[in-house]
Amino acid sequence: MQEPSNQNLTAERPTFVSHLECSMTGERYEADEVHGLSRAGRPLLVRYDLDAARKELSREAIAARPADMWRLREILPVREARNIVSLGEAATPIVPLTRTAARYGASGLLVKDEGRLPTGSFKARGIAMAVSMAKAFGIGKIAMPTNGNAGAALAAYASRVGIETVVFCPDDTPEINVREIALQGARVYRVNGLIDDCGKIVGDGAAAGAWFDMSTLKEPYRIEGKKTMGLELAEQLGWDVPDVIFYPTGGGTGLIGMWKAFGELQKLGLIGSKRPRMIAVQAEGCAPMVKAFQEGEEHAPRWEGAHTIAAGIRVPRAVGDFLILRAVRESGGVAMAVSDDDLMDCVEEAAREDGFLLCPEGGATMAAWRKALDAGLVGKDERVVLFNCATGLKYPLPDHSETLDRHAVPDFATL
Ligand SMILES: *Cc1c(COP(=O)(O)O)cnc(C)c1O
């Protein structure tokens, strides 16, 4: 039987990658070599010859391609089509929350639903890219710290191409995540600590030569995968950007990646100079970026005693802290914290009013929107995009059901 062909995955298209660059010092690194952090201990960013790429990337040429995260291969790092590892990363829809918005006298509230991606979260974007590059480099074993979704994506994509994986997660990681990681072929360890404690184990193992460290922003390619959220969003809005983006911020890879995407799209002539205000949303129980933002700092020290129900944003310390804070400030945005009660209230409200089941982190973005609306930080008619980063079905849900005795005569009017 012939496999259905997707030309984004099969066509040999040039990548215009030129080199890598330290995000702190600008020091240049060669492409096509295995890299972790820069010599300064900071994330490396992939750079492209955008003048050359521009000739291939007219709006018409792009529109004729399949709608998935591999659509703009010219500004993605994978050179050869045969190295692409894919589980079908279709473009995710933008869904309006019309009834919810109306309750606040607002319109234009949109959700980018990343829960539709393989493994049920947007971690698939970053990991698909990073595992494709690992395959190209012939890497045989990868380790990663995770709060759940990244580990699940790593297990799935790496197993698909026979790469061995070892995953470390805090011992209170959502149970479904721990189980899907193991089921998809990884060895998974529950660790009595937080994600940065897990990260230390991974880093020590990498230093001892045991495996490759795929922690977020500690290798250069996950961010290139997450960048596709920005590319996709701009195209879906008719090559425009929204007024405001609310992003649930853990390591911040998606926020930094989208900011990079908008810069590249402008240089490609595909969008103008307008930028969305980037709102970094955190939980009150773990808000290192919010604290650093308010104090005018460029870096964020470790947040002690981190706790929140929104596991994906329980990240006490981020190696890309200065990149998150720069993007937020340059965009005219803010960093905001919300309470667990508020974010769960939003999960319930969006589900009840609009039939949209947000994950807790998605609920946090809606809670921040409500707060920002109240404080006059966003207008009622502004075009706002919330990021729902995982399917709400991955998380424990509140129980609002009732029981019924089948032997009793029901009073149908009250059912
Ligand atoms: C990982 C994750 C986040 C945080 O994303 P970053 O880009 O790492 O900041 C938010 N929500 C969910 C559901 C996640 O899995």
Side-chain angles (χ1 to χ4, degrees):
M1 196 183 75
Q2 209 185 339
E3 282 182 47
S5 107
N6 170 339
Q7 45 146 328
N8 289 349
L9 305 179
T10 54
E12 288 307 338
R13 290 197 187 122
T15 168
F16 289 90
V17 66
S18 56
H19 64 285
L20 278 63
E21 195 177 273
C22 173
S23 56
M24 180 90 111
T25 66
E27 189 188 358
R28 197 185 159 103
Y29 292 77
E30 294 304 314
D32 305 305
E33 289 174 5
V34 177
H35 293 294
L37 289 170
S38 72
R39 271 178 282 271
R42 295 295 168 180
L44 286 173
L45 299 176
V46 183
R47 297 299 181 200
Y48 301 86
D49 179 351
L50 295 171
D51 287 333
R54 187 175 178 145
K55 299 186 183 77
E56 309 283 329
L57 291 174
S58 68
R59 291 179 181 184
E60 297 70 33
I62 295 169
R65 299 177 180 180
D68 64 27
M69 70 167 260
W70 306 97
R71 206 171 198 183
L72 277 76
R73 286 257 311 280
E74 287 83 350
I75 53 165
L76 297 175
V78 183
R79 284 200 192 276
E80 293 176 65
R82 68 185 171 88
N83 288 322
I84 293 178
V85 187
S86 173
L87 283 161
E89 300 72 26
T92 62
I94 297 175
V95 183
L97 296 186
T98 313
R99 281 165 51 94
T100 303
R103 298 184 82 204
Y104 301 92
S107 63
L109 181 62
L110 306 171
V111 180
K112 179 105 171 114
D113 188 14
E114 295 284 297
R116 314 286 183 100
L117 284 159
T119 72
S121 88
F122 71 175
K123 292 297 193 300
R125 292 184 190 264
I127 299 299
M129 194 66 65
V131 169
S132 297
M133 293 304 288
K135 177 170 181 258
F137 288 129
I139 290 169
K141 187 169 178 180
I142 298 172
M144 185 194 281
T146 185
N147 278 328
N149 289 323
L154 175 66
Y157 282 89
S159 293
R160 200 165 167 76
V161 286
I163 296 176
E164 206 184 324
T165 50
V166 192
V167 173
F168 302 88
C169 60
D171 51 13
D172 58 353
T173 296
E175 191 60 30
I176 185 97
N177 287 137
V178 185
R179 295 189 186 201
E180 65 179 325
I181 294 168
L183 204 59
Q184 288 162 183
R187 268 203 313 291
V188 57
Y189 294 96
R190 303 177 197 248
V191 178
N192 53 344
L194 291 175
I195 189 166
D196 56 339
D197 302 309
C198 297
K200 178 162 191 317
I201 300 168
V202 171
D204 290 349
W211 49 54
F212 180 75
D213 182 346
M214 207 176 263
S215 305
T216 200
L217 290 172
K218 291 187 182 168
E219 63 77 57
Y221 303 110
R222 285 177 65 176
I223 180 176
E224 292 302 293
K226 284 266 194 100
K227 177 179 95 177
T228 63
M229 289 192 289
L231 306 177
E232 199 173 290
L233 179 63
E235 188 183 1
Q236 285 173 316
L237 297 180
W239 296 114
D240 194 3
V241 295
D243 297 314
V244 194
I245 288 177
F246 285 82
Y247 187 81
T249 306
T253 315
L255 190 150
I256 301 165
M258 280 194 281
W259 193 245
K260 184 172 188 282
F262 298 141
E264 291 175 357
L265 287 176
Q266 187 182 350
K267 291 208 178 99
L268 290 166
L270 289 165
I271 64 169
S273 59
K274 179 186 166 184
R275 291 290 181 278
R277 307 201 296 287
M278 305 294 285
I279 314 290
V281 179
Q282 298 202 298
E284 283 176 359
C286 182
M289 296 307 141
V290 180
K291 185 163 184 286
F293 177 81
Q294 288 169 350
E295 292 173 355
E297 298 292 339
E298 231 212 327
H299 293 280
R302 184 175 199 266
W303 185 276
E304 299 301 328
H307 63 91
T308 168
I309 191 172
I313 53 175
R314 195 181 61 172
V315 179
R317 163 164 55 192
V319 63
D321 53 2
F322 64 110
L323 297 172
I324 299 169
L325 290 160
R326 270 183 209 169
V328 167
R329 289 186 176 122
E330 274 176 37
S331 77
V334 294
M336 295 175 63
V338 299
S339 71
D340 279 9
D341 281 351
D342 273 2
L343 69 88
M344 280 315 295
D345 187 58
C346 287
V347 169
E348 299 212 13
E349 185 176 344
R352 191 179 62 237
E353 298 296 328
D354 274 299
F356 194 107
L357 190 62
L358 294 163
C359 62
E361 297 80 0
T365 64
M366 184 180 143
W369 169 76
R370 289 199 314 202
K371 232 173 144 169
L373 200 62
D374 216 35
L377 290 170
V378 296
K380 287 188 184 333
D381 296 319
E382 283 195 297
R383 191 190 248 175
V384 171
V385 173
L386 311 179
F387 270 81
N388 185 52
C389 302
T391 166
L393 291 172
K394 275 195 169 187
Y395 302 86
L397 300 176
D399 180 17
H400 296 314
S401 66
E402 295 169 63
T403 55
L404 185 76
D405 175 6
R406 69 189 171 92
H407 301 296
V409 182
D411 174 359
F412 290 107
T414 66
L415 286 184

